Amino acid sequence: MTNRERIDRLEIEKQLPKEDWVQLLSTFTTEDREYAAEKARKISTGIFGKTIYFRGIIEFTNICKNDCYYCGIRRSNDAVSRYRLTLEDILECCQEGYENGYRTFVLQGGEDGWFTDERMEEIVRAIKERYPDCVVTLSIGERSRESYQRLYDAGARRYLLRHETASPVHYAKLHPAVQTLANRMRCLNDLREIGYQVGCGCMVGSPYQTAEDLAEDMLFMGKFRPHMIGIGPFIPHSQTPFRDFEAGSVETTLMMLSLCRIMIPEVLLPATTALGTVRGDGRQEGVLAGCNVIMPNLSPLSVRKKYMLYDNKVGTADSAADGMARLAAQMEAIGYQVVSGRGDSPRMQG
């Protein structure tokens, strides 16, 4: 079976056996990738048109209890200048975003114990009261099911939690022993059962990753069927144990994105900041590979360079208006239009 035949089979069956995933992801050519991208692009425009949804990210704390070996804000990095935004700071970010057309706010931060359920409930409720037509998305890591339920009851409706890798062995190479893939999967299942629109995803080219690991990611995502998938290339940070590893492949990242679109046609698929960091036209290439979401930064300019998960992160100097204008121009250059709106998953409105 050729790789094109594997891609055709995926389009029909929405999954492949592991050995076919391994073969496809380890031997694809530029022509194979372009073939997958063309299919993915047709699927995406058939469902969403040539429109790109955007979400405003507010990085409200860079304090984290975890010590993930790849992350620039890991607990052991003493060189980071730590911060927390106040409720007033967060609402100011929302106001600037709202005035520029944002209708989804993504509260993203390290696993900071200061932000208890009570404090997070207050933040979510305040945003929903002030902007009832907007969606609050959370990306704040592993919490208890009770915590997720309380935040859902407060008004949060989406949750982003990358699984990072679906291989327990590989997961153990990226995290200290106290962090487990089993708990990460427990969180994702809790979120889905509660009723969130759930996003998962992985890093491409992370240290020690194999084609078998990527195959496990595709098998997991095909079974879990998230509402959103976030995939970006690994980018090393100079103050982590993985500082000397090479960045992940843009080509493999784009191939994975196209395959995700083919496998789960209605999925919300961001062209990630990491993709735009590794390559200047990375987000445009992501859209041409089947992506339909962009996530600009709404964080205060004063703290953006303190939230460095990896080195040389793009967009740290753009205001909300400038960031939107830049991204809109990039999308228009390839024939797409950035649209204001909630941008819900077709499988779950509300």
Side-chain angles (χ1 to χ4, degrees), residues 44-62:
S44 182
T45 55
I47 296 172
F48 301 101
K50 286 199 166 185
T51 58
I52 303 298
Y53 301 134
F54 55 96
R55 285 72 158 96
I57 296 179
I58 302 169
E59 297 158 339
F60 67 100
T61 175
N62 71 346

Side-chain angles (χ1 to χ4, degrees), residues 8 19-20 25 34 45 76 91 93 108 131 148 168 186 202 233 237 240 251 260 268 274 276 283:
D8 290 341
E19 57 269 23
D20 282 321
L25 291 167
E34 290 173 349
T45 55
S76 293
L91 290 173
C93 294
Q108 184 178 87
Y131 305 103
Y148 291 147
R186 186 274 303 168
C202 60
H237 190 288
T240 70
E251 296 302 309
C260 284
L268 296 166
R283 285 187 282 202

Side-chain angles (χ1 to χ4, degrees), residues 20-132:
D20 282 321
W21 279 124
V22 172
Q23 188 69 17
L24 177 57
L25 291 167
S26 60
T27 67
F28 73 87
T29 63
T30 298
E31 290 74 23
D32 294 331
R33 189 189 69 73
E34 290 173 349
Y35 181 73
E38 183 179 2
K39 260 187 199 303
R41 193 162 56 246
K42 286 181 179 178
I43 291 168
S44 182
T45 55
I47 296 172
F48 301 101
K50 286 199 166 185
T51 58
I52 303 298
Y53 301 134
F54 55 96
R55 285 72 158 96
I57 296 179
I58 302 169
E59 297 158 339
F60 67 100
T61 175
N62 71 346
I63 297 169
C64 191
K65 69 178 184 181
N66 293 331
D67 222 10
C68 307
Y69 301 145
Y70 51 83
C71 184
I73 64 169
R74 63 195 302 262
R75 186 184 70 237
S76 293
N77 186 3
D78 296 331
V80 177
S81 175
R82 305 288 179 174
Y83 73 89
R84 292 185 181 112
L85 298 186
T86 65
L87 174 58
E88 291 70 27
D89 293 332
I90 292 169
L91 290 173
E92 285 180 14
C93 294
C94 293
Q95 181 177 346
E96 184 180 12
Y98 194 86
E99 291 171 354
N100 283 280
Y102 292 78
R103 294 299 179 267
T104 294
F105 302 120
V106 182
L107 299 178
Q108 184 178 87
E111 293 195 23
D112 181 353
W114 189 87
F115 285 98
T116 60
D117 291 343
E118 290 78 12
R119 288 185 170 121
M120 288 307 305
E121 284 174 320
E122 180 185 14
I123 293 168
V124 171
R125 286 199 175 100
I127 295 172
K128 287 298 295 180
E129 287 172 7
R130 190 169 295 190
Y131 305 103

